[in-house]
Amino acid sequence: YIARADGRPLYLFTGDQQGEASACYDECADAWPPVTGDVAAQAGLDASLIGTITRDDGSLQATYNGWPLYEFARDTGTEPTGQDIESFGGEWYLINADGEEVHAE
């Protein structure tokens, strides 16, 4: 799965539409903070898949393969605790280097 430079895991939300604006605001964004600011491609990631969308407040949210990216507020370090959680009208998954949701094998 992909992570920030500091190792914090990044997630996608199935309540979003790939390539569209975020559907996660208010309480949702408190629990699943959107990734804002510059995002650089870490080793193994395709820089051409990194992009941004504009949130309702005008801030830019990072995307990967068109999926808006989020952190999980309960993640306290590099160990993901938000994988395959259903909340706020969708499911939350880690995102892999191909820009697809990660499912347990």
Side-chain angles (χ1 to χ4, degrees):
Y1 61 87
I2 67 173
R4 283 190 173 273
D6 66 3
R8 284 184 60 98
L10 299 177
Y11 299 87
L12 65 79
F13 176 45
T14 63
D16 288 335
Q17 296 295 316
Q18 189 175 13
E20 300 290 328
S22 172
C24 181
Y25 287 92
D26 303 319
E27 290 178 6
C28 177
D30 290 341
W32 298 92
V35 176
T36 57
D38 292 333
V39 175
Q42 304 298 318
L45 298 185
D46 184 344
S48 71
L49 295 180
I50 296 173
T52 59
I53 57 166
T54 303
R55 294 184 58 79
D56 287 353
D57 65 3
S59 65
L60 294 179
Q61 181 173 357
T63 63
Y64 193 73
N65 194 29
W67 288 106
L69 297 176
Y70 304 88
E71 295 179 325
F72 184 41
R74 292 186 184 167
D75 284 347
T76 57
T78 59
E79 189 65 33
T81 61
Q83 171 67 355
D84 198 12
I85 290 179
E86 188 172 341
S87 66
F88 300 103
E91 293 184 54
W92 299 87
Y93 292 102
L94 295 165
I95 185 167
N96 67 22
D98 293 326
E100 299 168 353
E101 58 193 53
V102 174
H103 288 277
E105 296 288 322

